[in-house]
Amino acid sequence: MDLELNDKTALVLGGGGGIGRAVAVSLAREGVKVAVADIDAGALAETVKAVQAAGGRALPLEWNLGELAVIDENVARIEAEFGPVDILVNNTGGPPPTPAAGQDPALWEKGFQSMVLSIIKITDRVLPNMRARKWGRIVTSASSGVVAPIPNLAISNALRMSLVGWSKSLAREVAKEGITANIIVPGRIATDRIRFLDQAKAERESRPVESVMAESTASIPAGRYGEPAEYANVVAFLASQAASYVTGATIRVDGGLIASV
């Protein structure tokens, strides 16, 4: 299928590895010029190599999403190099594992600024050009915790849920202007973040990480963790012209993990 994305410009947040890198590569294969943002310069360099190997063009941006003051400068660099952003992929790291009760307000504030407010402000920065061209795609990666809260990930559950409400509200506001806004919910995708969470659970429960992974795999109807590329291909579809009537949705890419309807 031709996704009709050739020569579009994308900004992929958290593009240094895992899901973000896979998304950058998937879009590049469709002819998209990809700006990739990440706090890790070394990881960015590896993503650039992967995009180039896929025949695409990449612009690396070393970017701490918690620093809101650099948003305009970084987006202006993309506009100067590639043109206005057509596709925004909001993908951030997660906070440390914690229970809900008794957390330092500073931890909540730090998470909110880097995981929620940054996404809202970056979207607000690129939205006027999308509106002017009557075309845009805003895809926000969340977590299965927004459907079924994950134990000991209370901050992530709460903050990512706020993005679901924001995205749904935004989708209704911009739908008539050719712009879509959707949430994608990953299940157990084989990334460094999932490996970290598995290891943290193993240490917390004093058992081998292999036991944690086996238990987790057994809960997935597909019988395995997902590959980042499988997730990225859904992002690419939602970014496409073919998905122009899909907006305000929350789409699960989880191998059937979430049991609820």
Side-chain angles (χ1 to χ4, degrees):
M1 177 185 292
D2 180 6
L3 297 183
E4 299 181 52
L5 291 176
N6 191 54
D7 211 36
K8 297 287 189 186
T9 296
L11 168 56
V12 179
L13 305 181
I19 284 174
R21 181 177 297 165
V23 168
V25 170
S26 185
L27 291 173
R29 288 188 177 130
E30 298 297 327
V32 177
K33 298 170 289 187
V34 185
V36 286
D38 202 282
I39 197 170
D40 186 334
L44 276 176
E46 292 302 312
T47 296
V48 170
K49 290 179 185 177
V51 168
Q52 291 172 341
R57 296 172 60 195
L59 172 66
L61 296 166
E62 192 173 344
W63 191 340
N64 179 353
L65 295 181
E67 297 178 1
L68 305 182
V70 304
I71 290 173
D72 189 64
E73 174 186 348
N74 284 334
V75 174
R77 282 188 60 195
I78 300 168
E79 293 168 341
E81 183 83 15
F82 286 161
V85 173
D86 301 294
I87 301 161
L88 174 61
V89 181
N90 291 316
N91 172 56
T92 71
T98 63
Q103 300 308 311
D104 188 335
L107 188 59
W108 284 98
E109 290 172 0
K110 180 180 179 181
F112 181 77
Q113 181 145 320
S114 62
M115 294 173 58
V116 180
L117 192 55
S118 61
I119 282 178
I120 293 170
K121 287 184 69 66
I122 292 167
T123 302
D124 283 346
R125 173 60 176 80
V126 303
L127 198 55
N129 276 319
M130 290 182 178
R131 282 177 149 155
R133 297 189 311 282
K134 300 295 182 183
W135 201 96
R137 300 288 184 265
I138 300 160
V139 182
T140 302
S141 183
S143 159
S144 61
V146 306
V147 180
I150 303 169
N152 209 50
L153 284 181
I155 294 176
S156 175
N157 295 335
L159 295 182
R160 296 194 195 279
M161 180 64 80
S162 68
L163 288 173
V164 176
W166 162 80
S167 180
K168 181 68 173 181
S169 300
L170 179 65
R172 293 181 62 85
E173 293 175 12
V174 300
K176 289 184 179 179
E177 299 174 83
I179 301 166
T180 66
N182 292 291
I183 293 283
I184 305 189
V185 172
R188 307 289 293 180
I189 307 297
T191 63
D192 287 343
R193 169 71 173 173
I194 290 298
R195 284 185 281 273
F196 165 76
L197 292 175
D198 284 346
Q199 185 64 49
K201 183 175 182 179
E203 293 173 0
R204 194 167 60 249
E205 298 178 359
S206 300
R207 59 185 174 124
V209 69
E210 292 79 11
S211 170
V212 170
M213 294 175 66
E215 179 182 77
S216 182
T217 299
S219 71
I220 304 170
R224 62 180 177 85
Y225 285 15
E227 293 299 324
E230 294 176 302
Y231 186 88
N233 289 338
V234 178
V235 176
F237 173 73
L238 287 176
S240 73
Q241 185 60 31
S244 59
Y245 204 60
V246 181
T247 194
T250 299
I251 297 173
R252 305 173 187 183
V253 184
D254 69 347
L257 170 65
I258 302 170
S260 63
V261 174

